[in-house]
Each structure stands twice: as C-alpha cells, then as structure tokens.
Amino acid sequence: MTQGKVFMGVNILGTEDYNHSIPPDVRQLLIDSRHFVVENIKNARRFLRKLDRSFPIDDCQFLEMGKHADFFKASQSLLGVVKQGLDIVVLSDAGCSGIADPGAQVAAWAHENNIHVHPLVGPSSIVLTLMASGFNGQRFRFNGYLPRERKERQRALKDFEKLVKSQNETQLFMDTPFRNMHVLEDLFEVLEPNTEICIAANLTHPDQYIKTVRVGALEELSPKIEKMPLMFAIGRTQIL
C-alpha cells in the first residue's frame, strides 16, 4: 500500500473570495481531504465550508497544533492515518501553512518519520509584499511582529534600516492592525526621510492598497489603512 503524504495547505488572507488566490486543483484537494492538522479548528471548519457548502465536517478528523495543544501526543494516530495510505493536510488560519505559523512543526515531524511533505500553492502576505515592493527579492528577511514597547520597536526599525543600507537586504515585518498608526508614526520619527518603505494593506482583497514611498511621504498614504491588516517592508528600489 502506498503511504500517505503531508500536504502543507493554504488559506485565504481574510477576503471571502478565494477564486483568484487559491488554484482550483488545490481547492479540490482540500475539499477531498478528511484528515487535518490545523492552527484553529473553528477557523479551519469555517474555511472548508466556504470552499464547499456541503463539506462533510462530521466525517473529518481535526487535530489542533500550536503552543496550546500537544501535537506530538497524537503523532501515533497520525502515523496510522499515513500508513493506511491517507493524506494529512495542514491548515493555518491565513496564508501558507508553515510560514509565520506553527505548521512548521508538522512538516518537521513528517520528515522525521520519512513522510513526503508536499507544499501547496496559495497566497503568502510576505511573498506578495516583496513581489510588489520593488525592493531586492534576492536578499531579504522576514522579522515577524514588531516589539510591543515603543522604544524597542523604534530600535528594531533603526536596525532594519541599517541592514538595508549596509547589505541591501529587504526587511519585512508586521504588526496588529490596532497598532498600524503607531508603527507609521515610529517610521516617520526614527528613520531617515529618504529611506524607502512599502506598505501593503488588505492583500488579495478587492480594496488592496500597496504603495512604496520614501519616509518623508508617509503622511500622504491613504487614511483607510488605519485598521487594515498590513505588511511593511523597508528596502531599496531596484532601478534598472
């Protein structure tokens, strides 16, 4: 019997419309699957029902991963699923599993047990921001969430700026929407006016907003981004 695989699944980035961000064959694989390791069970069920209103939730096995659940306690159960030739799909709450979420632990577990890991195609806010920024796409770093404390946050932003200048390494980062304006204020206050910033808001949504400007022009950004989910990048535009 052929052994099952672990598929690193994909989710939408908040928008209700998945047609332009998740390929049809990937959607079909998700709909046909019955064994899932998920970041949040409620969110995973809601997403699968969006893909297919008649999706048989009650026929599925859902295992929650992350710091609030001991994934490895259920590893024997998962091994049994794979040995039966059945596949397991990893689902994050948004974007690509294993990127900026706990899905990486499932991929690591699969490799340790000689199970094939198959990444699926879908939207990643990190990659989409980098693609649209005009910054260096060959040397870049994702720094996750900014520190909560303002002094530490400002220090981190200055460090990012130094890396851009010294190594031409694009610096990507994010924060929670309710701190958007605080981050923008910090960028304006501590970075040099000619430093370039990319702001990517509501990626894949109909009203997505992506703008690369110099720090001195941050005040000209659309006020609508105040409460939108944002990705930030500091870099240097690559002019031919």
Side-chain angles (χ1 to χ4, degrees):
M1 179 181 293
T2 302
Q3 182 171 267
K5 302 180 181 67
V6 168
F7 286 89
M8 302 303 289
V10 293
N11 203 330
I12 50 181
L13 292 175
T15 178
E16 296 294 318
D17 183 11
Y18 51 76
N19 289 303
H20 69 290
S21 59
I22 301 179
D25 59 330
V26 173
R27 295 203 304 270
Q28 192 60 53
L29 185 147
L30 296 174
I31 292 170
D32 291 342
S33 299
R34 296 295 180 265
H35 300 275
F36 299 90
V37 180
V38 302
E39 189 172 359
N40 180 279
I41 293 177
K42 184 177 179 180
N43 292 341
R45 288 175 172 172
R46 185 184 301 119
F47 170 56
L48 292 166
R49 279 277 167 82
K50 283 180 183 176
L51 296 180
D52 180 6
R53 291 183 180 179
S54 61
F55 185 84
I57 294 290
D58 293 337
D59 295 340
C60 296
Q61 174 190 17
F62 292 93
L63 174 65
E64 200 166 60
M65 58 187 168
K67 61 184 179 181
H68 299 300
D70 190 349
F71 162 75
F72 294 101
K73 284 183 179 178
S75 60
Q76 291 302 313
S77 171
L78 291 175
L79 279 175
V81 170
V82 172
K83 288 178 179 179
Q84 292 176 51
L86 302 172
D87 298 324
I88 296 168
V89 174
V90 184
L91 276 182
S92 64
D93 284 352
C96 299
S97 297
I99 306 298
D101 74 26
Q105 67 175 321
V106 189
W109 167 83
H111 287 299
E112 288 178 0
N113 288 279
N114 296 314
I115 302 167
H116 179 71
V117 179
H118 189 115
L120 299 177
V121 175
S124 164
S125 59
I126 301 166
V127 174
L128 293 173
T129 300
L130 184 61
M131 290 170 65
S133 67
F135 297 156
N136 190 350
Q138 297 192 61
R139 187 178 180 89
F140 57 91
R141 181 182 308 188
F142 175 60
N143 296 279
Y145 283 90
L146 289 172
R148 293 184 180 181
E149 296 298 324
R150 190 177 189 192
K151 288 184 178 180
E152 294 180 13
R153 187 166 64 236
Q154 291 183 340
R155 188 180 302 114
L157 294 173
K158 287 295 292 182
D159 289 342
F160 298 162
E161 184 181 51
K162 290 177 182 176
L163 285 168
V164 171
K165 289 183 176 182
S166 64
Q167 301 182 35
N168 190 18
E169 181 183 83
T170 302
Q171 303 296 309
L172 297 117
F173 53 94
M174 62 195 300
D175 214 321
T176 55
F178 71 86
R179 279 200 289 266
N180 283 349
M181 301 313 293
H182 296 305
V183 175
L184 290 170
E185 289 169 4
D186 290 338
L187 289 166
F188 188 78
E189 182 176 325
V190 304
L191 301 189
E192 296 182 8
N194 285 330
T195 294
E196 293 173 292
I197 306 289
C198 179
I199 309 293
N202 266 9
L203 288 164
T204 73
H205 290 233
D207 63 343
Q208 90 174 354
Y209 177 91
I210 306 172
K211 192 76 173 176
T212 293
V213 298
R214 298 188 186 279
V215 167
L218 281 177
E219 293 178 318
E220 301 171 11
L221 295 179
S222 169
K224 293 189 299 183
I225 66 174
E226 180 176 354
K227 296 181 181 180
M228 291 180 175
L230 297 186
M231 279 291 301
F232 301 86
I234 302 175
R236 185 185 302 163
T237 49
Q238 307 296 293
I239 305 299
L240 296 177

